[in-house]
Amino acid sequence: MNLRAGLAAALFVVVGCGVVPPIAGPHDPTRASARPPLGLDLLALRWKHVTADRRSEVRPQEFATPTVAGDTVYAGSYSGGLLALDATTGAVRWRLKTAPISSAPLAYAGLLYVGTDNGRLLCLDAQTGVERWAFATTGAIGQQPQLTGELVIFANEAGEVRALDALTGVSRWQYASSDPMENPLRGHAGVSIAGDLAFTGFADGTMVALRTETGSLAWSASLRGDADKFIDVDATPIVLGEALYVVSSSGGVWSLDRATGRVRWHLPLLDAAAPGATGSGGTIATDGERLFVAAAELGVYALDLAGHVLWRQGTHGGGEPAIPIVAGDLVVYSLAEDGMFLADRRTGELYEYFDPGEGISAAPAITGDGLFVMSNLGVLYAFDLEQP
């Protein structure tokens, strides 16, 4: 396997908030276009497992991030249901046929919780795959559920947030967006929990904080600004201390006060090479010191916690980005058309990339020295991962 067979991105290094300047050169530095070989070999193939043969499909996509718990990797797929495999050898431990899955499973205390594209939340025995209970909703569940106390809390694409008894699946409370959009972007935000509050965003550009015990509204904030389209808040928010960080599709990056929803700062994502352009979609992650934001067409940004741009990798033409994953000194991000990239989280320097063909839409799961990722062709890859 040639790990250099994919497409790499050009590096931006910038300082300060606001518009990112272009870099002069013989090629377009904003694009995720072909580059000479990069410097390090950090990935070594451990095994791969074909969940389904999607080679004859036009532009197939897989969005589900695997979950690793102990010595088992759990992986959902669009056409292959849910698999439990030995993380070291790739041997299949059990397989469950389900509706298509685009979300990461959640493993806890011998149970596995996973949402499906037809709106069902499943609770399974993690050792056997036997169903304990299932709960039906009206919208696709595309983000990992969260546990707090005796509750499992999750959101769906219909603008609903649900809290269920984690052991029985009995409904405890429900919250629904008051202004559902007729033509939202694909996907939805997941739920983040801190203290007694659950935070999430909706397609109408609204962020909310809900009390986990009752589902009642603690506060609501609009992030749509002056925009009248692509206002979706589809990124699962990040909570650090007293601050909440979130991305809206056309509005850029926002920092809010966790207790009140008051705006602390706002960074539009703009490109000096294309005045007026903003990135559609967006995801956000953190290493506790920096924010990593990926926006389609504009790039992957590293910000400090005050909203200053530290570096940027151009991704124009590379496809929709998945959420960046931070592991040790690395930040790893996937582009739907161009594959998976490994970069230095401090400087943005690209170390390696991997494109198995048709790109990678799903974020990888990284644990210890292992990296697990599902390709758009439905192949689950397991790599040994070295740090630079």
Side-chain angles (χ1 to χ4, degrees):
M1 176 180 303
N2 181 7
L3 297 181
R4 304 287 187 200
L7 300 175
L11 176 65
F12 284 79
V13 180
V14 296
V15 178
C17 279
V19 176
V20 178
I23 296 177
H27 55 263
D28 178 358
T30 67
R31 295 191 65 84
S33 55
R35 294 288 177 266
L38 302 175
L40 297 180
D41 290 315
L42 303 178
L43 297 174
L45 183 65
R46 184 184 296 179
W47 51 261
K48 64 181 180 179
H49 182 89
V50 179
T51 65
D53 186 353
R54 306 192 65 186
R55 291 174 295 178
S56 63
E57 299 180 37
V58 178
R59 301 176 69 88
Q61 284 190 280
E62 295 276 359
F63 295 101
T65 297
T67 291
V68 183
D71 61 354
T72 304
V73 56
Y74 301 96
S77 69
Y78 181 79
S79 52
L82 186 65
L83 286 167
L85 305 99
D86 186 289
T88 301
T89 67
V92 176
R93 291 180 167 168
W94 53 260
R95 181 193 306 266
L96 180 66
K97 185 63 179 176
T98 69
I101 292 176
S102 297
S103 63
L106 174 67
Y108 181 77
L111 296 176
L112 195 68
Y113 302 88
V114 63
T116 66
D117 288 10
N118 70 348
R120 287 165 60 86
L121 186 73
L122 308 177
C123 176
L124 310 172
D125 185 294
Q127 293 296 317
T128 65
V130 173
E131 183 179 301
R132 295 290 189 88
W133 53 259
F135 187 91
T137 74
T138 60
I141 302 170
Q143 299 291 342
Q144 187 181 55
Q146 299 297 310
L147 284 169
T148 178
E150 299 178 349
L151 299 179
V152 56
I153 301 178
F154 62 98
N156 68 15
E157 209 164 76
E160 300 172 346
V161 183
R162 296 270 191 168
L164 312 178
D165 185 288
L167 293 180
T168 66
V170 172
S171 179
R172 293 288 188 86
W173 55 258
Q174 174 187 355
Y175 179 90
S177 171
S178 60
D179 185 21
M181 301 294 290
E182 291 185 3
N183 297 297
L185 298 173
R186 188 203 64 79
H188 65 90
V191 175
S192 294
I193 297 174
D196 61 354
L197 294 178
F199 306 92
T200 194
F202 298 107
D204 64 356
T206 301
M207 271 293 305
V208 300
L210 306 174
R211 298 177 180 89
T212 57
E213 185 175 348
T214 63
S216 60
L217 183 67
W219 57 257
S220 175
S222 174
L223 305 186
R224 64 187 301 167
D226 297 328
D228 57 3
K229 62 180 180 178
F230 306 133
I231 59 176
D232 308 47
V233 178
D234 288 339
T236 301
I238 297 291
V239 181
L240 286 176
E242 299 306 311
L244 186 71
Y245 302 94
V246 69
V247 176
S248 65
S249 294
S250 62
V253 189
W254 303 74
S255 174
L256 307 178
D257 183 89
R258 167 180 151 184
T260 65
R262 178 182 59 85
V263 176
R264 300 169 69 245
W265 55 258
H266 172 219
L267 174 67
L269 297 182
L270 305 174
D271 194 329
T278 60
S280 63
T283 59
I284 187 168
T286 186
D287 63 0
E289 300 176 354
R290 305 165 190 82
L291 304 173
F292 300 95
V293 177
E297 296 303 295
L298 291 187
V300 176
Y301 298 74
L303 312 176
D304 67 20
L305 299 184
H308 301 97
V309 179
L310 304 175
W311 58 256
R312 173 192 177 202
Q313 279 281 4
T315 60
H316 179 61
E320 181 182 2
I323 184 172
I325 302 297
V326 182
D329 292 331
L330 296 172
V331 58
V332 183
Y333 58 93
S334 303
L335 300 178
E337 296 183 15
D338 282 3
M340 182 177 66
F341 297 77
L342 285 70
D344 187 293
R345 67 182 174 91
R346 297 181 180 88
T347 67
E349 177 186 357
L350 280 173
Y351 290 134
E352 193 165 5
Y353 57 87
F354 169 64
D355 183 9
E358 298 294 335
I360 297 175
S361 300
I366 301 176
T367 177
D369 60 355
L371 182 151
F372 306 84
V373 67
M374 182 76 75
S375 78
N376 282 336
L377 290 174
V379 181
L380 177 64
Y381 289 88
F383 293 99
D384 293 320
L385 174 66
E386 291 185 11
Q387 290 290 325

